Structure formats: structure tokens, C-alpha cells
Amino acid sequence: MGAYKYMEELWRHKQSDVIRFLLRVRAWEYRQHPKIARCIRPTRPEKARRLGFKSKQGYVIVRCGVRRGGRKRQNPRGMVHGKPKHQGINHLKFERNLQSVAEEKTGRKFANLRVLNSYWINQDAAMKYYEVILVDPSHTAIRNDARINWIANPVHKHRECRGLTSAGRKARGLRKRGHRANGIKGGSYRASWLRRNTLRLKRYR
């Protein structure tokens, strides 16, 4: 096995003594730094490479911490001036996953870069930490690379805000294949629903 395979096996066993110790020490370190901080190299090189990272100019790794837990509704003193159905404040969950939230926060901070992908690196009782892979679309090394220069097209601006990254697609229920994907044919479950519920009549019939 190559070195990356050993690293992958190590990260698979997150309750082993080695990884538990590493995560505990690193979680302390991350708490001393800003929530969004640039890294000089990926914490998990084998995972980053699997998700598209290359160790060359134009690629950036940023660590982002997001607060764990559900989303409390932002109402003054918890008062909803409406029907009892809408009076829930505390037991609400955010529609998207925390990983896509981390991507969005990072994309807003580094607005001139494009979000390629992200992966989990750590968590403690209050925070989850992800590393986000960013690409510089104006860098010559990126624009001349046929494998990645698709991301320089203007249609990919802030793709993380529109649910186009892998984590965003998962939140939209699009990371399925085969018979489980019948409800999302046509791009999304809304498009699928609309197609099935629209009456189409030929002009001459």
C-alpha cells in the first residue's frame, strides 16, 4: 500500500488512540485561531487530493469552523405574532448541512476564489471544523490547466451559495443514483414534481 492508503486507513478509525489524541490536541489549537483561517497545507492530503486538490499554484486550503446544533428562530423575545403552527422557536433544524454552511462562509470571506469542495477535519462539543478547497480562477496555472479551467467560467461564481458543490447537492437530495433517483429526474425533486404535474396538450389534437 502507498502512503495515502495508510493515511486513509488511519482516518477511517477515528476512535483509535492515535486519532483521538490528534483530534483533541488540534481542536484545542483551532479554538485559539480565528474561525476562518488559511492553512499552508491540507490536514488530510489523501482526502483533499481525492476531492480535486493539487499541490500547485492557484489552489488554497482554508479551515472553517461552524457552530454545531439546530437553528433557533430569530424572533424578539421568542414571540411570533401569528398562528400557533408557526410559534416554534427552539426545536428547528436548518435545511442545509453544516458542511455547506462552512463552504458558504468561506466563499464569502474569499470572494475572489471559487469553492471546489470541502471535507471534515475535526469537531468538539460546540464546533465542527471543515477544510475548504478553493481555486483562484484568475491564476495562469489554473486557466491553462484543462482539468480545472472549467471553474474559471463566470457561471461558477459562488457555486457554494447555490447548492452546486457536493455538500450543497447532498442537502438538495441530489447525491443519488439508480432507482433511488427517480424522484429527482430533471435536475431536482421540484423539477421532477413540476414535470409530473404539468398538463401538456399538443396544439393540434
Side-chain angles (χ1 to χ4, degrees):
M1 291 197 298
Y4 285 143
K5 199 69 179 170
Y6 279 106
M7 293 170 74
E8 184 185 341
E9 283 299 311
L10 200 62
W11 275 97
R12 264 201 190 135
H13 299 91
K14 292 184 176 63
Q15 288 191 317
S16 64
D17 291 348
V18 178
I19 291 291
R20 282 174 67 182
F21 174 75
L22 269 177
L23 292 181
R24 194 166 73 245
V25 173
R26 282 178 180 161
W28 175 87
E29 184 192 352
Y30 297 160
R31 284 197 292 272
Q32 318 310 313
H33 290 283
K35 294 287 184 292
I36 301 176
R38 185 173 171 180
C39 311
I40 55 171
R41 62 174 63 88
T43 308
R44 302 173 61 182
E46 88 297 346
K47 183 71 170 174
R49 283 179 59 83
R50 226 179 309 146
L51 296 178
F53 175 77
K54 299 284 186 193
S55 182
K56 64 182 227 178
Q57 290 181 331
Y59 285 86
V60 179
I61 293 282
V62 174
R63 182 180 65 248
C64 179
V66 285
R67 191 160 288 282
R68 294 176 65 179
R71 183 185 180 278
K72 188 176 179 182
R73 183 172 279 156
Q74 302 292 307
N75 280 51
R77 290 182 290 175
M79 291 189 299
V80 180
H81 302 290
K83 296 183 175 167
K85 173 186 169 70
H86 301 295
Q87 284 180 350
I89 297 294
N90 281 328
H91 294 260
L92 306 173
K93 313 294 183 287
F94 189 48
E95 284 270 324
R96 290 185 289 131
N97 49 46
L98 292 180
Q99 186 170 347
S100 73
V101 173
E103 289 178 350
E104 185 177 341
K105 286 161 81 79
T106 308
R108 289 187 194 282
K109 177 95 169 174
F110 295 83
N112 62 323
L113 305 179
R114 305 273 161 85
V115 174
L116 179 63
N117 225 321
S118 64
Y119 52 93
W120 178 94
I121 49 166
N122 209 331
Q123 69 186 52
D124 57 19
M127 304 291 292
K128 275 198 179 191
Y129 297 96
Y130 297 93
E131 275 183 0
V132 183
I133 304 167
L134 298 159
V135 180
D136 185 355
S138 53
H139 199 289
T140 318
I142 299 298
R143 297 178 82 89
N144 290 342
D145 186 349
R147 287 193 186 91
I148 193 63
N149 62 7
W150 55 268
I151 209 165
N153 293 340
V155 74
H156 293 296
K157 289 178 183 176
H158 290 290
R159 54 201 296 271
E160 72 284 352
C161 295
R162 297 176 287 133
L164 301 181
T165 58
S166 184
R169 284 172 59 80
K170 183 179 183 183
R172 292 164 58 201
L174 298 182
R175 250 174 35 179
K176 295 189 175 84
R177 296 177 74 89
H179 71 278
R180 294 186 304 155
N182 286 338
I184 54 171
K185 282 181 180 174
S188 68
Y189 72 91
R190 289 188 186 87
S192 176
W193 178 89
L194 189 66
R195 192 184 67 249
R196 281 185 273 109
N197 288 275
T198 303
L199 181 65
R200 292 185 187 82
L201 299 172
K202 288 188 175 180
R203 187 177 172 192
Y204 299 109
R205 64 184 190 276

